Amino acid sequence: MSEHSERDLQREVTELQGKSATAARLFDIRRIIGGLFVVYGIIVTIAGITASDADIDKAEGVNINLWTGLGMLALGLFFLAWLRLRPVAPPTTADDATE
């Protein structure tokens, strides 16, 4: 009976570790920041592309929305590429034992 409950306990621990690793990857701050910068960058870039001459004259001849939007897009894509190239390592049992 003891062996059966130990196996069940080990299985539950393994399932929780898998769920924890999935949650860590899902809620990685790089994904959130990158996604927000890409979305806002697209919106601001579109505003810059459709800017009128009066809007550009207000900014002393610089299409500030276009340049800011492109910068935001670049930063957001950087964060998403960083996430893709260096994903979060799943927690190991050695880390859990030391805590």
Side-chain angles (χ1 to χ4, degrees), residues 11-65:
R11 183 179 49 80
E12 287 180 25
V13 167
T14 304
E15 288 176 7
L16 286 174
Q17 285 176 342
K19 288 179 182 179
S20 175
T22 301
R25 283 190 300 272
L26 182 63
F27 294 110
D28 188 359
I29 193 73
R30 296 174 293 181
R31 180 183 313 264
I32 296 168
I33 291 173
L36 284 174
F37 267 99
V38 167
V39 169
Y40 291 143
I42 290 170
I43 293 169
V44 175
T45 301
I46 291 171
I49 291 171
T50 60
S52 67
D53 290 334
D55 292 334
I56 294 172
D57 288 339
K58 279 187 207 176
E60 297 184 14
V62 177
N63 193 343
I64 194 72
N65 284 336

Side-chain angles (χ1 to χ4, degrees), residues 65-78:
N65 284 336
L66 180 64
W67 288 108
T68 303
L70 292 175
M72 291 173 77
L73 274 172
L75 183 64
L77 292 174
F78 167 75

